[in-house]
């Protein structure tokens, strides 16, 4: 049986997929994951999940948003006065997400134009 | 996807198990990754006795960590190969044990003395790392992911090997002489690590067209020699007269191919060299000795999940 392995480097980080192992049960999957994926790299925690239990949807089957103009739902659209600090923070996060989306979109367009 | 589309798209980490890839690609990738995985395992077995031979506790710890790393690399790579859907890990390990599985030329030669350890750990691991660094950009994503981790660990192997070389070459006169002798024996093999020049290699063209290989053998060999000849000289090793190595005006090196023993190389490539038999048999014995472990794991998995498929210890 194949188990997918997710590694968290530091407490508070996300668990990121880092590979997979053969194992007959969860306990041994954790043990093999420890040996193969967390022996040298700094690790705070590991998750294992049976490969068959992982579902996926990707850009081929789904529209993940950001493809139509929905500027009305973004904080940056309403920039006219300084806001409270936690509101500014949220705005910055959204602006960063927006910038990344544009870069991604440009990349896809450039690939499509090949 | 047809092969034309594969060639058109062939970029770093472009293809994953989600893609519907043609048989030709899967075969080439399986061949390449299986070879790589086998080499990790056979290298580990070659070096294993030197955990015991190591002259100090520090060296013993480092050698055992390195052997453990190499086995781990083998595991990661068998997974990357398996994900192509053509062969299971079980099948690949069986092929290795029964002599069908191919592996790196350098691991077909017996190693007898401690002075030989830097020939593997410094030069062969150094050469391997040169190639592996380029494979982070291979088109089979699971292979590239394995390379991320392998390269992370490999730096320690090469530097530990270099430390042993330094220690030996600043040791007693006897040690220096023995190290030079070992170097002379291993040097041509190390150069052959990168195989014959491109035009003689049958699989190379396709593998680079579909992005599996990111750099040709000649380029890799040159890059290796550029970095490691000065290193060898710095530690006081004398580069043997043969094979002749010509230094071009642009600073690159060129090896005179006729000076290398290609009959021996191709005998090794067929697993037919004396050393090949010795190494493969050793591995087969180890494989058989732990048969019972695999059986226990498979039985346990079948009980746990009530399935008849036995894959735990594949
Ligand atoms: Fe390795
Ligand atoms: Fe290594």
């Amino acid at each position: 049986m194949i188990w997918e392995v997710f590694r968290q480097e530091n407490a508070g980080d996300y668990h990121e997929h880092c590979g997979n192992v053969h194992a007959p049960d969860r306990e041994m999957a954790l043990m093999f994951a420890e040996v193969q994926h967390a022996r040298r790299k700094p690790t705070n925690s590991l998750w294992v999940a049976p490969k068959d239990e992982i579902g996926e949807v990707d850009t081929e089957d789904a529209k993940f948003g950001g493809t139509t103009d929905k500027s009305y739902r973004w904080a940056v659209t309403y920039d006219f006065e300084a806001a409270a600090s936690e509101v500014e923070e949220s705005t910055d996060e959204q602006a960063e997400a927006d910038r990344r989306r544009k870069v991604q979109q440009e990349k896809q367009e450039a690939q499509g134009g090949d | 996807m047809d092969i034309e589309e594969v060639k058109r798209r062939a970029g770093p980490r472009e293809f994953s198990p989600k893609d519907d890839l043609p048989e030709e690609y899967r075969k080439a990738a399986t061949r390449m990754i299986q070879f790589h995985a086998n080499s990790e395992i056979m290298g580990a077995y070659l070096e294993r006795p030197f955990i015991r031979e190591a002259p100090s506790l520090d060296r013993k710890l480092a050698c055992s960590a390195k052997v453990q790393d190499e086995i781990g690399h083998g595991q990661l790579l068998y997974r990357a190969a398996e994900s192509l859907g053509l062969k299971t890990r079980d099948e690949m390990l069986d092929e290795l044990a029964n002599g069908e599985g191919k592996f790196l030329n350098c691991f077909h030669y017996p190693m007898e003395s401690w002075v030989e350890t830097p020939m593997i750990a410094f030069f062969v691991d150094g050469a391997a790392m040169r190639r592996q660094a380029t494979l982070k950009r291979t088109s089979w994503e699971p292979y590239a992911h394995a390379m991320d981790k392998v390269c992370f660990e490999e730096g320690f192997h090469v530097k530990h090997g270099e430390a042993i070389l330094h220690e030996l070459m600043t040791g007693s006169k006897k040690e220096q002489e023995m190290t030079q002798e070992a170097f002379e024996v291993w040097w041509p093999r190390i150069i052959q690590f990168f195989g014959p020049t491109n035009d003689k290699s049958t699989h190379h063209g396709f593998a680079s067209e579909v992005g599996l290989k990111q750099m040709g053998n000649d380029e890799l060999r040159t890059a290796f020699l550029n970095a490691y000849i000065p290193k060898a000289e710095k530690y006081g090793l004398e580069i043997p007269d043969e094979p002749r190595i010509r230094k071009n005006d642009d600073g690159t090196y060129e090896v005179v191919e006729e000076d290398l023993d290609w009959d021996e190389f191709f005998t090794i490539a067929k697993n037919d060299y004396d050393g090949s038999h010795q190494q493969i048999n050793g591995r087969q014995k180890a494989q058989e000795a732990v048969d019972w472990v695999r059986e226990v794991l498979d039985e346990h998995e079948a009980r746990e999940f009530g399935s008849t498929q036995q894959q735990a210890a594949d």
Side-chain angles (χ1 to χ4, degrees), chain B residues 265-285:
Chain B
F265 181 84
F266 286 109
T267 309
I268 279 177
K270 283 187 248 152
N271 286 350
D272 262 347
Y273 191 66
D274 282 348
S276 319
H277 301 142
Q278 201 180 319
Q279 304 305 325
I280 292 166
N281 290 343
R283 168 63 202 153
Q284 188 182 27
K285 276 198 192 117

Side-chain angles (χ1 to χ4, degrees), chain A residues 1-3 20 22-25 28 36-37 39-41 56 58, chain B residues 18 65 69 76 79 82 89 149 152-153 297 300-301 305 311-312:
Chain A
M1 192 167 169
I2 307 283
W3 300 72
N20 40 38
H22 280 268
D25 63 18
M28 295 199 80
Q36 283 186 40
H37 293 281
R39 201 175 69 251
R40 304 266 183 265
K41 288 216 169 174
E56 181 180 3
D58 65 9
Chain B
K18 284 195 295 189
D69 281 356
L76 291 179
R79 281 296 308 130
E82 242 182 354
R89 185 173 66 175
K149 179 153 186 293
F152 175 83
E153 296 179 356
L297 289 174
H300 174 61
E301 181 176 339
F305 294 93
Q311 285 201 331

Side-chain angles (χ1 to χ4, degrees), chain B residues 47 50 55 59 63 66 106-107 111-127 157-169 175-176 178-180 182-183 186-187 190 224 228 232 235 237:
Chain B
E47 290 186 291
F50 293 93
R59 292 273 182 251
C63 286
K66 177 178 193 274
C106 290
F107 301 149
M111 245 169 103
E112 269 133 27
S113 156
W114 175 253
V115 296
E116 289 175 286
T117 56
M119 305 309 146
I120 296 284
F122 181 50
F123 291 107
V124 177
D125 278 63
H157 303 176
V158 182
K159 292 183 99 171
H160 179 240
E162 187 166 3
I164 300 173
L165 181 64
H166 170 76
E167 187 177 76
L168 289 167
M169 292 307 285
E175 275 175 322
Q176 293 179 28
M178 283 169 71
T179 308
Q180 174 67 31
F183 181 65
W186 280 88
W187 182 238
I190 291 162
F224 170 77
Y228 284 78
Y235 292 112
L237 287 171

Side-chain angles (χ1 to χ4, degrees), chain A:
Chain A
M1 192 167 169
I2 307 283
W3 300 72
E4 297 296 340
V5 183
F6 302 82
R7 192 172 61 90
Q8 182 196 47
E9 200 161 306
N10 295 299
D13 288 351
Y14 291 99
H15 281 75
E16 281 180 20
H17 182 246
C18 63
N20 40 38
V21 294
H22 280 268
D25 63 18
R26 189 188 309 277
E27 201 188 331
M28 295 199 80
L30 285 168
M31 188 175 98
F32 292 155
E34 214 182 303
V35 173
Q36 283 186 40
H37 293 281
R39 201 175 69 251
R40 304 266 183 265
K41 288 216 169 174
T43 303
N44 182 62
S45 148
L46 285 176
W47 288 348
V48 295
K51 186 181 177 63
D52 294 344
E53 296 301 324
I54 290 176
E56 181 180 3
V57 59
D58 65 9
T59 46
E60 251 174 48
D61 305 308
K63 277 208 177 295
F64 288 123
T67 46
T68 48
D69 181 11
K70 287 188 181 172
S71 55
Y72 58 84
R73 73 183 317 289
W74 295 99
V76 279
T77 311
Y78 308 99
D79 260 349
F80 53 95
E81 259 306 318
S85 65
E86 69 280 7
V87 178
E88 286 291 2
E89 246 172 61
S90 156
T91 306
D92 288 348
E93 277 174 29
Q94 290 197 356
E96 173 62 14
D98 191 43
R99 192 189 60 77
R100 287 207 197 156
R101 204 168 16 249
K102 280 186 182 136
V103 170
Q104 187 65 24
Q105 225 165 328
E106 271 162 28
K107 231 192 247 170
Q108 269 166 12
E109 273 158 25
Q111 273 171 5
D114 275 353

